[in-house]
Amino acid sequence: MDEGVHDPEQDFTEYFAARRDAVRRAAYLLCGDWHRADDLAQTAFVALHRKWNHIRDRAATDAYLRRTLVRAAIDESRRPWRRERQVERLPEPESAGARLDEQVVTRADLLAGLREVPPKQRAVLVLRYFEGLDVAGVAAVLGCSEGNVKSQTARGLARLREALGEEVEAGG
């Protein structure tokens, strides 16, 4: 093959290898379960592969993949069997004086709190605070207005505060 000619399958394979772990982590933050995260990441990459030869702007590939991942997570959460939640034990009330940094001592606590946030709000929080997108970037991924992103962020943070029982800093 000529050096100037690119093999689309090889390009996709290289892109997949470079982004696989990051997409899987984002999927985990969206759903809170590694098995479901693998399924969501696979769904997003399969959709991307179908469109791979038609993508003209490779710089937009990450945005397309992110949008596909978030939509898959939201669609998955709408399935009736996903609405039920099993818990190993009932939560115990926390002391009102506990600080968030003392309460959220492990990632598991934060992830459990995120699972209490509705899917669209969770998607906004993950994109804003874990993926590092600004309001305009999140709006582009979700296909909504910046005002919607701001209100979903506020509601999502409020729900996360409620789930964790303390204040959550918007910058953290």
Side-chain angles (χ1 to χ4, degrees):
M1 186 176 283
D2 294 335
E3 288 182 25
V5 177
H6 290 283
D7 176 19
E9 283 301 315
Q10 181 63 32
D11 290 345
F12 180 81
T13 300
E14 289 171 7
Y15 180 82
F16 173 78
R19 297 293 299 144
R20 171 186 48 215
D21 291 339
V23 170
R24 186 172 180 254
R25 280 190 302 271
Y28 179 73
L29 291 170
L30 288 167
C31 71
D33 176 87
W34 283 112
H35 297 292
R36 286 177 50 211
D38 288 337
D39 291 345
L40 292 172
Q42 178 179 337
T43 298
F45 278 115
V46 166
L48 176 63
H49 187 264
R50 286 186 189 128
K51 301 278 186 189
W52 189 256
N53 292 330
H54 304 289
I55 297 174
R56 289 188 178 96
D57 181 8
R58 292 288 185 214
T61 305
D62 284 346
Y64 176 82
L65 186 61
R66 217 179 271 121
R67 179 181 301 124
T68 304
L69 180 68
V70 168
R71 287 185 177 158
I74 290 170
D75 289 346
E76 162 94 0
S77 72
R78 291 180 178 150
R79 295 187 177 142
W81 61 85
R82 293 290 182 213
R83 292 186 193 129
E84 294 182 16
R85 292 192 181 139
Q86 295 180 347
V87 295
E88 293 177 21
R89 60 190 167 109
L90 292 175
E92 297 192 20
E94 297 290 328
S95 65
R99 291 175 29 101
L100 179 62
D101 59 353
E102 295 168 352
Q103 190 175 2
V104 183
V105 293
T106 64
R107 283 178 31 160
D109 292 332
L110 178 58
L111 294 172
L114 276 173
R115 283 192 296 272
E116 298 300 316
V117 177
K120 287 183 183 178
Q121 294 169 11
R122 184 181 328 136
V124 169
L125 295 180
V126 168
L127 292 171
R128 289 273 293 132
Y129 300 112
F130 294 96
E131 290 289 310
L133 296 180
D134 60 8
V135 172
V138 174
V141 168
L142 297 178
C144 64
S145 70
E146 291 182 22
N148 188 300
V149 170
K150 291 175 185 178
S151 66
Q152 291 294 320
T153 301
R155 289 183 188 128
L157 286 173
R159 186 68 183 262
L160 185 57
R161 284 184 194 109
E162 181 182 304
L164 296 174
E166 278 293 328
E167 287 298 312
V168 174
E169 294 297 322

